[in-house]
Amino acid sequence: MVAPPRPSATETSPQAGLGPALATMTAVQAVISAAIFAPGVIAPRVGLEPAALSLFSGLVFATGLLAAGRAGALVSRIGPMRTAALAAATAALGLMAAAAGSGPALAVAAVLLGLAFGPETPASAALLGRLARPADRPFVFSVRQTGNQIGAAAGSLLLPALVAAYDPRLGYAAVAAAALGVALAAATLARRYDAVRPPAGAATIRAGLAEVLAQRPLATLAVAAAAFGAMQLALNTVFVSHAVRLGHDHVAAGIAMAAAQVAGLVGRLGWGAAVGRLGSARRIVAALGFGMSLSALALAAFGPQFPWGALVALAIAFGATASGWNGIFVAEVARLAGPDRVAAVTGTVLSIAYAGLLVGPAIVAGTEALGGLPASFAALGVLAAAGAVLLIFGDDP
């Protein structure tokens, strides 16, 4: 009698191989985040206008929305680690296109970066959801989501000095090289982690949306995340401008913004650990929705006499909530989806959530024209509060 083949390490123990997988998936998110962040950092050196950057960001997120909806099918076909490797390599190609410097090249770069951005979270959710114990998933996913801040922080610290001292295209090349290195690392791990793949997801984006919208807890999570994503984008893009309009020095406003980013990173880890003690990721996400709403409304209410120290304190509260919810949100989606549907469901939920990244700038533009940035933060604060209420009352009866 021939003994059956031994299962792989990822099949025998939920925790087996978690460390390398978590590190790799975090690195993938970090290089993709740095890649999306790079054109904005390099823009002053190459003459990119804000209007062009806005169109670039919109095209990135619109493409990412569509790519996320098809991520489940891709993960089931080639595996989560190969999907992550492909995403990082695609980000590198996008940066190479951006280095050409022309408007059409920037549009091509935006599409490629969107194709990288859309599948990477569903791929990581599929793999880490299988490797981590259920009780550990909120913290594991929160650690993975810190890749966003790591990439943005590394880009903001290193790229300005690099492009000032050398050719601006070297900044794109440096991030592209890092992305290719991460892609290679992920590809070498694919054989270990991609032996077990989730079943195929919904055949079309429409079918995936119908599946998610038919499940009330998932649908309300997705809609609330769209509201929170719009708030997070506003914090990252117009907080400094608002602080300067309040009369603070540009450097001081940047320091306050940096404090918000650090708070977001620490918050992601802290809220992920809190779920293990408090036991309800959904209620914590709702509480963070109320927290970011109050922060936005407070920022909208204070005038030019608002002290810098108070601004930093508010920025910390704002960052911890508006940038701290993502990890436990993904963990909750994974819990509701179940192990065989994580990639497909996460991708579809994110395709809804990413709509907030498209709607948010439109809300800011419209309200800013009517009442300045205070009106923008007030409107987004109300929207975030509505998302939090939706989470509280959005569970199945």
Side-chain angles (χ1 to χ4, degrees), residues 69-79 126 196-204 207-208 211 337-345 348:
R70 297 296 295 137
L74 181 63
V75 170
S76 67
R77 187 179 304 121
I78 67 173
V196 180
R197 301 176 191 174
T204 65
E211 177 186 355
D340 289 337
R341 300 290 296 150
V342 171
V345 171
T348 303

Side-chain angles (χ1 to χ4, degrees), residues 28-393:
V28 168
Q29 188 183 57
V31 294
I32 292 175
S33 174
I36 294 171
F37 193 73
V41 176
I42 296 172
R45 303 288 302 182
V46 295
L48 274 178
E49 297 295 330
L53 285 174
S54 296
L55 290 173
F56 168 81
S57 296
L59 190 53
V60 168
F61 295 134
T63 307
L65 184 154
L66 297 174
R70 297 296 295 137
L74 181 63
V75 170
S76 67
R77 187 179 304 121
I78 67 173
M81 192 63 82
R82 285 186 178 88
T83 299
L86 180 62
T90 303
L93 290 176
L95 289 168
M96 294 174 189
S102 65
L106 194 63
V108 171
V111 171
L112 289 170
L113 290 172
L115 291 174
F117 173 68
E120 57 96 3
T121 294
S124 71
L127 180 58
L128 300 178
R130 190 176 83 229
L131 295 178
R133 290 186 294 258
D136 296 334
R137 285 174 192 160
F139 184 72
V140 168
F141 280 105
S142 294
V143 171
R144 211 292 303 204
Q145 291 299 119
T146 63
N148 192 32
Q149 266 92 10
I150 293 170
S156 62
L157 290 173
L158 300 178
L159 287 179
L162 187 62
V163 301
Y166 303 99
D167 190 305
R169 288 172 294 185
L170 187 59
Y172 289 126
V175 181
L180 286 175
V182 171
L184 180 61
T188 60
L189 293 173
R191 186 173 182 180
R192 175 181 182 185
Y193 289 107
D194 287 346
V196 180
R197 301 176 191 174
T204 65
I205 293 177
R206 179 180 295 182
L209 288 172
E211 177 186 355
V212 168
L213 294 177
Q215 302 178 58
R216 186 176 170 186
L218 280 171
T220 52
L221 266 175
V223 174
F228 299 162
M231 175 64 80
Q232 184 174 354
L233 186 64
L235 169 65
N236 290 336
T237 56
V238 298
F239 177 90
V240 171
S241 295
H242 183 52
V244 170
R245 292 182 185 182
L246 289 175
H248 297 287
D249 177 79
H250 195 175
V251 173
I255 293 173
M257 183 64 201
Q261 294 292 351
V262 172
L265 190 151
V266 174
R268 291 189 186 203
L269 298 177
W271 304 130
V275 173
R277 296 184 178 183
L278 302 179
S280 177
R282 189 184 190 90
R283 290 191 179 276
I284 292 178
V285 175
L288 294 178
F290 285 122
M292 70 180 78
S293 173
L294 290 174
S295 298
L297 293 172
L299 190 61
F302 288 105
Q305 302 304 316
F306 197 45
W308 183 76
L311 179 70
V312 172
L314 182 57
I316 290 172
F318 210 164
T321 52
S323 292
W325 59 278
N326 310 71
I328 53 176
F329 158 75
V330 175
E332 180 67 1
V333 172
R335 184 187 70 82
L336 292 170
D340 289 337
R341 300 290 296 150
V342 171
V345 171
T346 302
T348 303
V349 168
L350 288 176
S351 72
I352 299 172
Y354 289 160
L357 302 178
L358 299 176
V359 173
I363 293 174
V364 171
T367 53
E368 197 272 340
L370 295 174
L373 289 176
S376 301
F377 281 110
L380 290 171
V382 171
L383 187 64
V389 171
L390 191 64
L391 285 179
I392 292 174
F393 295 103

